[in-house]
Amino acid sequence: MPEVFKLPKSLKKNIFHYCPGCHHSIVHRLLCEVIDELNLRDRAVGLASIGCACFLYFYIDVDIVEAPHGRSCSVATGMKRARPELVVFTYQGDGDFAAIGLGDSLHAASRGESITALMINNTVYGMTGGQLSPTTVLQQKTTTTPLGRDPKREGFPLKMAEVLSNFEGVAFCARTAVNTPKRVIETKKLLKKAFLAQLENRGFSYLEILSTCPVNWKMDALSATKHVDKLIEIFPLGVFKDTFGGNSEI
Amino acid sequence: MKDKRILVKGVEAIAFGALEGGCNCYFGYPITPQNEIPELMSVELPKRGGVFLQAESETSAINMVLGASAVGARVMTSSSSPGISLMSEGFSYLIALELPCVIVNVMRGGPGLGGIEASQGDYFQAVKAPGHGDGKFLVFAPYSCDEAYELTAKAFELADKYRNPVMILSDAILGQMKEPLTLKPLKIKRIKKDDWILNGAKDRPARVIKSLFLDSAELAERNRKLKKKYQMMEKEIRYEKIFEGNEDIIVVSFGSMARLCKEAVLNLREKGYPVGFFRPITLYPFPRFTLFKLAEASQRKKRFMVFELNCGQMVEDVASSICGRGDTYSVFYPPSILPFPEDIEKEIKKCLKYSNSPKV
Amino acid sequence: MRFEIILSGFGGQGVLFAGNLLALAGMYRGYQVSFLPVYGPEMRGGTCHCTVVISDKDIASPLVKEPGYLIILNLPSFLKFIPRLKKGGVALVNEDLVKRDEIENYEELTHHKRVIYVPFSSLAEEAGAPLALNLCALGAFNGLLKLFSEDVFVRALKEMLGKSKAHLFEANFRAYLKGIEAINKV
């Protein structure tokens, strides 16, 4: 009988600690599949950032270092510069990548560092209890915007994929989601491309993945997953920059 | 071959020392008065196949250091006081993650933006709390170009040996003055790091370098392990002393200030004054035991005069080292007011006058 | 043997270059040397100075309160440093920019101190190198003290100029010789 389903080799057999309906686990699995398929395990180094995914090393069986909050792109820069033969990826939340680490992220992108940065965008600070994030959408209630995000007070959501697409150092830049099976499959393709960009030394590659935070959104798993469609209206999916050429439509 | 003697600034001596110590990566951000270090490294490292990168901030620089260290590079950064404050979060992580690196602080006056004149105002920051948490690192305070060269080179070996950052704490006088440096080859050990660095999980289990320990017993254990390491570092304690046992006054000072003090002490000794000199070269770990022994060396109670270019910091370590076996005096010069050796002599004589002991 | 020298002048008169060169020549001659430039705020006060110590023993303090020698290229430097010159010390002063009759308490300032006037600016112009008055002053200094030979000085000057300014060697050296010549006449 042909094997139709198996666990990726790079995925550890630990039970995910993530909340029900959280998309981190889906992305973890996709990441492991891509690491396996591109045969990267013996030269990959991952950056676990501050946020719910700081326990990345419980699940992903590659060399991993914890970076201080927001500093993943700088730590990755140091690694890649010192050992260009390594494949270096960051796994960051929207707060880590786009708030406290915005400078590190933009400068690494602008320098065209040959690293792969993943930003899991769920529009809130999950681990600390659902506070305002730079990607929180207008009117969204968080624990520090109890009346909803007011652009006059908290400004507008930051759209990182659009921002990065203007950078000359960026080789690949896309936004995707994993709230439908089709999008899961597409995300894997984009993830692969994000790593290929690094393998071919094209420059900085960035993939933003819209994700859920059911607990802090105060929704059940299913509604949260459906709610991602609403986010897509604000954060459109697509490939914003692709130096590979060719058709990369979702 | 005869060793090459060149006329360099203290900061250049530090950079040459780093190269001799096997430094192959440098990350930093410009700040006066230490810019000659990145400038020199930007020329020298690429020539030797190394990496030089100017970061967009000190915060990024220290995290690039963290990354390079985690993959096994001999890496350094340099900055001056305000920049060091920005890096201090990174220091805490480097210590926690047990990642070796060399950090140079060419101190300038503070607080805040302060000034660019010489200062020793970052003593406490360096030796007591380089970052949040209980972390410590070895701190060397060179006082000449030759010493800056040797200590910086050695710092790379010791960083690797203890898997901990090492700081070279200097100041703008030594940093900006020029004197001859003998570029001699040093025996700096290369320490194998293959058993812990992150270089891809090839034919081995994946490695994790982390500092988050939510289990309280695990975190306590972690801290005990680090504490043991700091105790081991006491083997590296270095100091210089001019002392015979009968001195009434011992002048204690470090770095550039120690040069001014040494001149004053030597002048006074020549004239027969009972004055000794003690210069800690490692500021952490502090040569506590040696100082205690000095205090106990004779029946007569001694006076320890601590000269510093700040508002009085190391004096607290001197006082706690001698455990009441002598008296401690703080003679402090806030940044930008540099005393001349003559002024220091005057201070020492004043102090001698109060004691009724005769000249030796 | 120990010589302590403060060199002072306007920013742009080459004071730091001359101090560095003096220290380098001292080192090539086999002495211990230290060169301490002043940088930052003091530069804005109209004078720029540096301290050079040349000794046959280890030098502890690079900082000198009362130097034995001064090389003074302008008036503000004269007023600032003459009071610090050691009793019996020697000041080499740029006659072109420091006029005796412009200084109120001249006698008091220079009491027990030897002041030697040399027109460094005009001598440098005569040498065809108006910017090299600093070298002219060094010539006068070494002509007076004979600390190092011409060979040592030439080696140090070439090192200081480097490849990019090697073409300036002749002019600078001419100015240096003018300085020696002038001091020998004093």
Side-chain angles (χ1 to χ4, degrees), chain B residues 34 37 65 121 133 155 157 160 239 247 253 274 278 337 344:
Chain B
Q34 59 81 51
I37 300 178
V65 167
E157 177 188 313
D160 284 354
Y239 53 84
E247 287 84 347
S253 190
F278 188 80
I337 303 197
I344 295 171

Side-chain angles (χ1 to χ4, degrees), chain C residues 6-79:
Chain C
I6 288 181
L7 299 90
S8 185
F10 285 126
Q13 283 183 317
V15 164
L16 298 186
F17 182 93
N20 198 341
L21 174 54
L22 184 58
L24 191 62
M27 183 182 89
Y28 286 157
R29 167 68 179 77
Y31 293 126
Q32 285 298 331
V33 296
S34 72
F35 163 68
L36 182 69
V38 162
Y39 59 98
E42 275 201 46
M43 279 187 178
R44 294 179 214 138
T47 65
C48 162
H49 77 273
C50 62
T51 308
V52 175
V53 181
I54 300 177
S55 171
D56 55 2
K57 293 194 197 69
D58 279 350
I59 297 163
S61 171
L63 216 64
V64 176
K65 188 176 192 175
E66 293 177 346
Y69 295 89
L70 287 177
I71 293 177
I72 298 290
L73 300 186
N74 68 354
L75 183 62
S77 300
F78 185 92
L79 298 174

Side-chain angles (χ1 to χ4, degrees), chain A residues 213-226:
Chain A
C213 190
V215 172
N216 287 311
W217 289 358
K218 300 184 173 44
M219 291 178 188
D220 60 37
L222 202 60
S223 338
T225 297
K226 279 194 184 136

Side-chain angles (χ1 to χ4, degrees), chain A residues 41 63-64 66 68 83 111, chain B residues 71 200-201 204 207 209 211:
Chain A
R41 197 185 157 266
D63 282 1
I64 286 175
E66 255 173 24
R83 272 187 196 261
R111 286 190 305 263
Chain B
V71 301
R204 61 162 174 79
R207 289 173 183 155
I209 298 183
S211 66

Side-chain angles (χ1 to χ4, degrees), chain C residues 106-169:
Chain C
Y106 184 85
E107 292 304 327
E108 193 188 322
L109 277 176
T110 57
H111 195 56
H112 290 307
K113 294 169 187 176
R114 190 172 164 214
V115 182
I116 302 172
Y117 283 96
V118 185
F120 295 134
S121 303
S122 22
L123 284 176
E125 254 173 71
E126 273 175 39
L131 289 176
L133 77 157
N134 55 345
L135 267 289
C136 202
L138 281 191
F141 181 76
N142 199 36
L144 189 71
L145 292 172
K146 304 192 172 51
L147 271 179
F148 33 76
S149 65
E150 192 173 296
D151 288 354
V152 164
F153 183 81
V154 165
R155 189 181 154 206
L157 178 58
K158 282 189 173 163
E159 169 69 27
M160 284 291 295
L161 290 170
K163 272 184 202 151
S164 63
K165 285 178 194 153
H167 59 282
L168 298 175
F169 173 80

Side-chain angles (χ1 to χ4, degrees), chain B residues 5-7 116-117 172-173 176-180 259-260 263 338-343, chain C residues 2 20 24 27 31-37 39-40 59-65 84:
Chain B
R5 205 155 167 257
I6 53 174
L7 188 68
I116 54 171
E117 302 91 345
I173 306 180
Q176 293 301 317
M177 70 173 273
K178 280 191 176 185
E179 67 180 352
R259 291 179 77 127
L260 313 184
E263 176 106 19
L338 272 180
F340 291 102
E342 288 87 339
D343 304 329
Chain C
R2 184 179 162 109
N20 198 341
L24 191 62
M27 183 182 89
Y31 293 126
Q32 285 298 331
V33 296
S34 72
F35 163 68
L36 182 69
Y39 59 98
I59 297 163
S61 171
L63 216 64
V64 176
K65 188 176 192 175
R84 266 173 62 183

Side-chain angles (χ1 to χ4, degrees), chain B residues 174-200:
Chain B
L174 177 59
Q176 293 301 317
M177 70 173 273
K178 280 191 176 185
E179 67 180 352
L181 163 69
T182 308
L183 276 180
K184 57 181 173 202
L186 302 170
K187 286 188 185 111
I188 302 298
K189 277 188 206 137
R190 309 274 148 169
I191 288 160
K192 272 211 157 148
K193 307 187 200 178
D194 292 343
D195 55 338
W196 64 265
I197 59 168
L198 305 185
N199 53 0

Side-chain angles (χ1 to χ4, degrees), chain A residues 50-243:
Chain A
I50 310 302
C52 295
C54 68
F55 294 117
L56 198 66
Y57 43 81
F58 282 160
Y59 313 113
I60 302 186
D61 193 24
V62 301
D63 282 1
I64 286 175
V65 66
E66 255 173 24
H69 195 19
R71 312 292 159 229
S72 284
C73 284
S74 293
V75 176
T77 298
M79 292 178 151
K80 188 73 181 184
R81 294 275 179 143
R83 272 187 196 261
E85 72 275 16
L86 295 177
V87 176
V88 182
F89 67 91
T90 74
Y91 191 105
Q92 304 175 257
D94 38 274
D96 195 87
F97 188 91
I100 190 166
L102 187 66
D104 300 64
S105 307
L106 292 188
H107 281 280
S110 157
R111 286 190 305 263
E113 295 295 340
S114 189
I115 57 175
T116 301
L118 309 180
M119 181 177 105
I120 312 301
N121 180 3
N122 62 8
T123 73
V124 285
Y125 281 72
M127 202 189 209
T128 48
Q131 294 84 2
L132 173 86
S133 133
T135 59
T136 295
V137 301
L138 296 183
Q139 276 79 52
Q140 185 179 345
K141 285 182 182 169
T142 71
T143 51
T144 48
T145 51
L147 302 174
R149 181 175 197 165
D150 179 348
K152 284 194 194 124
R153 203 171 41 228
E154 289 94 18
F156 297 87
L158 196 48
K159 298 176 179 175
M160 288 312 298
E162 286 83 342
V163 170
L164 287 171
S165 66
N166 293 314
F167 278 55
E168 284 166 84
V170 172
F172 179 75
C173 164
R175 184 184 291 118
T176 178
V178 288
N179 67 332
T180 67
K182 192 175 167 231
R183 288 191 181 127
V184 170
I185 294 165
E186 283 155 2
T187 297
K188 185 173 163 185
K189 283 186 200 153
L190 293 172
L191 199 51
K192 216 173 206 172
K193 223 160 182 191
F195 275 97
L196 283 172
Q198 180 177 168
L199 291 172
E200 293 178 14
N201 259 320
R202 287 170 176 271
F204 189 82
S205 56
Y206 170 80
L207 184 62
E208 177 176 334
I209 301 152
L210 295 179
S211 181
T212 53
C213 190
V215 172
N216 287 311
W217 289 358
K218 300 184 173 44
M219 291 178 188
D220 60 37
L222 202 60
S223 338
T225 297
K226 279 194 184 136
H227 182 71
V228 173
D229 286 334
K230 293 254 188 254
L231 292 183
I232 292 174
E233 291 168 17
I234 298 153
F235 297 106
L237 306 187
V239 175
F240 292 83
K241 187 168 183 191
D242 184 358
T243 54

